[in-house]
Amino acid sequence: MDRLTAMQVFVAVVDGGSQSAAADRLGLSRPVVSRHLADLEGWVGARLLHRTTRKLSLTAAGAEALPRCRQVLALGGEIRAAGASREDAPRGLLRITASNSLGYARLSRAVALYQRQHPAVSVELLLVDRKVDLVQERIDLALRISREIDPNLIARKLAVCESVVCAAPAYLREHGTPVQPQDLAGHNCLTHAYYGSSVWEFLREGEPLQVAVRGNFSANDALSVCASAVAGAGVAMLPAYLAQARLDDGALVALLPAHRPVDTYFHAVYASRRHMPATLRSMLDFLAIHFAQGMVATPAA
């Protein structure tokens, strides 16, 4: 537990009168504020606040702890001020998480390019196809692909993530080529377990269209869905960053050129925007440029 941050959260809650006010003031999400309070109470071994639906009030232990926390924070500010003159260049460890497909197709290369510029930075990359609790698993930065991010999280939108509907030539020779999105009802659709597992969404001339899909294969990993499509198992909707190489070499064919899948976005998600370390800030800025320049690929029809 970062006890200094937990104390800062505790003081901000008391001064602001609520956890929401503290979250806004500190640039933290509400769940992170709650986590810090719980951790501090666990460390102190006593409840610090009475929580009701209308207001917060200090317990006896909280009233005793509050001035001591203020003293510790003041001392911490003096220490930071003493070190402010030193160069704050990116250095140290960053723990980053992303999906397997994004890590494989783009993020690992981006990290390598970043580390060429900042060799004093070490990166630990956690690639998993599940949502990670940033605080619990001590993650500095999560890269996520979605249309919207939970409002309780702090996120920076990096770039558009385009998708493409595609299939292997062998599958199309055997089963025919869908011309309209509605034709997908007659095809074996390979789906991602967490995104578009039963409905695919398109835009035609700006108008939305939802199409129900079904098939005999679903996976929680876009790499597996892509491999299944290349093997001729069915039609898949894949992120363009992953499908582009297989479209270029002919292993997959782009379908439904007049109907564009609804865009999702690359988001950088982190726990706090207050007192952001120089290393994390520099990585965010680097990825924003890298994703905007190289992540969006429009497949040929």
Side-chain angles (χ1 to χ4, degrees):
M1 179 186 70
D2 183 343
R3 289 171 184 162
L4 197 63
T5 299
M7 291 180 190
Q8 186 179 34
V9 167
F10 172 52
V11 170
V13 169
V14 174
D15 290 346
S18 71
Q19 294 188 34
S20 296
D24 292 340
R25 176 183 173 185
L26 298 176
L28 299 173
S29 66
R30 174 70 182 275
V32 171
V33 168
S34 297
R35 179 71 59 80
H36 279 303
L37 283 176
D39 287 346
L40 184 61
E41 288 177 331
W43 179 62
V44 172
R47 196 170 186 82
L48 301 177
L49 293 166
H50 292 300
R51 300 170 177 85
T52 68
T53 56
R54 294 186 177 182
K55 65 178 182 179
L56 295 175
S57 60
L58 288 167
T59 64
E64 186 175 345
L66 182 62
R68 289 176 169 81
C69 287
R70 294 190 191 278
Q71 291 173 354
V72 171
L73 292 173
L75 180 59
E78 293 174 5
I79 293 173
R80 285 194 300 271
S85 60
R86 69 176 179 83
E87 183 182 2
D88 202 10
R91 58 172 56 83
L93 175 66
L94 275 179
R95 301 189 77 236
I96 304 174
T97 186
S99 68
N100 283 288
S101 63
L102 182 55
Y104 170 80
R106 289 292 187 271
L107 185 56
S108 294
R109 180 176 183 274
V111 168
L113 293 174
Y114 173 86
Q115 289 182 299
R116 288 182 188 175
Q117 298 179 18
H118 305 288
V121 176
S122 298
V123 173
E124 184 177 328
L125 198 56
L126 175 65
L127 300 180
V128 292
D129 284 281
R130 61 175 174 83
K131 288 187 177 180
V132 173
D133 186 316
L134 304 187
V135 176
Q136 187 68 28
E137 301 191 43
R138 298 180 296 105
I139 297 297
D140 299 298
L141 180 64
L143 277 292
R144 293 179 180 169
I145 301 172
S146 65
R147 289 182 200 162
E148 296 181 352
I149 290 292
D150 184 331
N152 288 319
L153 297 175
I154 297 169
R156 177 174 175 179
K157 187 182 293 185
L158 300 178
V160 173
C161 177
E162 296 183 354
S163 298
V164 56
V165 177
C166 53
Y171 175 86
L172 298 175
R173 286 194 297 269
E174 182 177 351
H175 300 278
T177 300
V179 178
Q180 300 292 330
Q182 294 84 345
D183 296 340
L184 294 171
H187 287 269
N188 191 45
C189 294
L190 315 172
T191 60
H192 194 289
Y194 301 149
Y195 176 77
S197 60
S198 59
V199 175
W200 289 354
E201 299 184 60
F202 298 88
L203 289 176
R204 180 182 175 88
E205 298 178 353
E207 293 298 320
L209 174 65
Q210 293 186 336
V211 178
V213 295
R214 62 181 183 177
N216 62 7
F217 181 81
S218 181
N220 69 340
D221 174 18
L223 285 168
S224 298
V225 177
C226 183
S228 184
V230 169
V235 179
M237 181 183 286
L238 296 170
Y241 72 81
L242 181 60
Q244 191 64 59
R246 307 323 307 265
L247 294 167
D248 292 341
D249 66 18
L252 293 174
V253 176
L255 306 172
L256 307 175
H259 294 80
R260 175 178 175 175
V262 173
D263 289 331
T264 53
Y265 297 91
F266 298 100
H267 290 93
V269 182
Y270 44 101
S272 171
R273 58 171 67 98
R274 184 176 175 85
H275 299 312
M276 184 183 294
T279 305
L280 177 56
R281 187 180 300 278
S282 70
M283 176 63 83
L284 278 168
D285 292 341
F286 178 88
L287 290 178
I289 296 172
H290 177 81
F291 275 49
Q293 291 179 346
M295 294 298 296
V296 178
T298 304

